[in-house]
Amino acid sequence: QYPGGTWDLNHQTGLAALPGLTLLECGVPADDLHVQKAAQFVRGSVPNLNATYELALAILFLDRLGDPKDEPFIRTLALRLMAGQEATGGWTYNCPVLSEKDEGSLLTILQTTRPRAALDLSASMAGSDSLFIARVGDAPGAIGLPSSEEVQQARGLYDGLSPNLKGIPALQPPIDENRIPRGDNTDNSNTQFATLGLWAAGRHGVPMQRALARLGQRFQISQTLRGGWDYHFFYRPQQGAPEGPSMTGAGLLGLAVGHGVTSDLKGADVKAAGEDPQVEMGMKALASFIRSMKDPGYLNGQMAGLYFLWSVERVGMLYGRRTIDGKEWYPWGVDLLLPRQQESGSWLTSGYFGATPVTDTCFALLFLKRANLAKDLTTKVEFLTQVKKP
């Protein structure tokens, strides 16, 4: 760790947050000097932070740190993520830094129009009227519902938003499939980090339901016929469409979020156990990338890497599965990892863009620890975990 609190001079905030998160997941106490130095670095970076990976990692780290004074930071970072989401439900490398006025207005609007029933996610934002009227409903003053004065205030704030903010997915219902863009500059790597960050921010009062509902829709309509997902977004990919190991893990995260975000809403059409074939197709596709250790160069080429192992671990823990399509993923990963640990205690196998000893070591430790960064999501999608018993 450098004296300032980061572990790398490139992507400094992300590489303060990811190792700090890893230390906490591995049992290092929050008041440890190294963790606190990382926290100070991350907090000091918030005013100008706009990189998607780093925004998400900062949220995950501060959420795990558990210091109440970080609540405003988490909300600020989450609002930037929501402002950077594209119409396809995904993210690219950067998000806008909001003005203080836009940040405050956006948070108030989201809190006032927070979905409480499945029908709320369908409320159109056209002209803003139907969304705000829907929040009052037939029982003004009911517990949990905004007052008419609050609704009127939120409507006025919406009208005063910067034009580029009015159309963000967080202020829109899931887009009609016929209107979704067929492609854009987003990618599923930035998107899965943003997803984890927004889910964690939801634990701190950030209304992320509409943003994550659009995210779930993205992965529902971009799964390949074989069951996987690619780095880029493809609308209804045809036979032979590309797909990647780590991005297939990202797709399974997206499907879980799509179910989890509606599970608490009144009137939600929650599928019973075993009724989501897309999840099972995704599991089969992910399992196909879990190759034999005898496969020459398997862990060192572009086919895999520790980013992929972390994706496998995250899916296994999120869905509560000891096996993925019959393959015991944890012993397989341990047998790959332990012989490749270096004398310094670190790992470096590459296999993904930007791999460093710091990132690889974090992914290795998170795998070995069987960390679950979304335990509350696991609870929400518990009905999916019994599709196939190990």
Side-chain angles (χ1 to χ4, degrees):
Q1 188 179 30
Y2 285 93
T6 186
W7 276 264
D8 201 293
L9 297 180
N10 295 310
H11 311 293
Q12 295 182 41
T13 304
L15 293 180
L18 178 60
L21 172 67
T22 303
L23 289 174
L24 291 171
E25 287 292 331
C26 290
V28 176
D31 61 0
D32 176 82
L33 177 62
H34 301 286
V35 174
Q36 284 299 312
K37 285 170 64 177
Q40 287 301 110
F41 189 94
V42 169
R43 292 171 186 139
S45 301
V46 168
N48 299 310
L49 198 63
N50 70 339
T52 302
Y53 283 115
E54 295 186 291
L55 290 166
L57 286 169
I59 293 172
L60 290 169
F61 172 49
L62 295 177
D63 168 68
R64 185 65 176 78
L65 189 64
D67 191 329
K69 71 182 179 184
D70 290 325
E71 297 280 331
F73 292 132
I74 291 173
R75 288 194 293 269
T76 290
L77 297 170
L79 290 169
R80 290 179 195 170
L81 282 178
M82 283 192 275
Q85 189 179 23
E86 300 285 344
T88 59
W91 280 263
T92 184
Y93 282 93
N94 293 300
C95 299
V97 175
L98 303 177
S99 69
E100 185 176 347
K101 174 180 179 294
D102 277 346
E103 182 180 315
S105 296
L106 180 57
L107 181 59
T108 298
I109 295 166
L110 288 168
Q111 290 172 335
T112 304
T113 64
R114 179 194 298 271
R116 292 170 174 80
L119 186 61
D120 295 339
L121 281 176
S122 302
S124 172
M125 197 65 173
S128 76
D129 283 343
S130 59
L131 178 70
F132 294 114
I133 291 172
R135 301 313 308 126
V136 177
D138 297 325
I143 295 175
L145 289 176
S147 67
S148 58
E149 291 80 10
E150 290 171 326
V151 172
Q152 185 176 359
Q153 178 195 20
R155 181 186 287 139
L157 291 173
Y158 173 80
D159 292 338
L161 277 180
S162 301
N164 60 320
L165 284 178
K166 289 185 177 181
I168 63 174
L171 296 180
Q172 297 289 328
I175 196 168
D176 183 272
E177 184 179 322
N178 294 323
R179 293 172 44 235
I180 200 162
R182 272 28 182 183
D184 57 16
N185 292 324
T186 64
D187 65 80
N188 287 332
S189 183
N190 275 291
T191 295
Q192 72 169 327
F193 275 85
T195 302
L196 289 167
L198 280 186
W199 187 268
R203 297 193 279 267
H204 301 269
V206 178
M208 44 58 178
Q209 289 90 343
R210 288 190 179 85
L212 293 185
R214 179 73 62 88
L215 177 280
Q217 186 182 37
R218 170 191 179 90
F219 286 104
Q220 289 166 3
I221 64 175
S222 62
Q223 187 175 28
T224 69
L225 296 179
R226 205 178 74 89
W229 286 266
D230 188 36
Y231 178 77
H232 294 290
F233 172 81
F234 290 103
Y235 175 84
R236 299 292 181 193
Q238 301 301 306
Q239 190 71 40
E243 55 190 15
S246 301
M247 298 303 94
T248 296
L252 285 162
L253 168 65
L255 293 183
V257 164
H259 286 282
V261 78
T262 60
S263 63
D264 290 335
L265 298 180
K266 182 179 179 182
D269 182 19
V270 179
K271 293 184 178 181
E275 290 185 2
D276 190 348
Q278 286 192 279
V279 169
E280 288 313 301
M281 285 175 59
M283 291 291 181
K284 288 181 182 296
L286 186 65
S288 72
F289 295 114
I290 300 178
R291 306 280 185 81
S292 167
M293 288 183 293
K294 297 179 181 178
D295 193 344
Y298 170 60
L299 201 58
N300 298 302
Q302 288 301 315
M303 176 59 75
L306 298 194
Y307 187 33
F308 169 56
L309 260 69
W310 176 66
S311 297
V312 171
E313 179 269 340
R314 192 186 61 239
V315 168
M317 295 303 297
L318 173 60
Y319 283 91
R321 298 198 181 191
R322 181 171 60 84
T323 64
I324 296 177
D325 196 39
K327 295 184 177 180
E328 294 194 8
W329 57 268
Y330 188 71
W332 161 80
V334 169
D335 288 344
L336 281 172
L337 283 172
L338 296 189
R340 289 170 171 80
Q341 188 177 23
Q342 300 177 16
E343 289 295 322
S344 65
S346 65
W347 282 265
L348 180 61
T349 66
S350 298
Y352 59 95
F353 180 76
T356 69
V358 174
T359 55
D360 262 6
T361 302
C362 288
F363 292 144
L365 290 172
L366 290 171
F367 182 101
L368 292 172
K369 191 65 174 66
R370 285 179 275 201
N372 186 352
L373 304 182
K375 294 183 178 69
D376 50 343
L377 178 56
T378 294
T379 300
K380 289 178 181 294
V381 298
E382 193 173 11
F383 57 89
L384 289 174
T385 66
Q386 300 301 318
V387 176
K388 284 193 175 181
K389 294 183 179 181

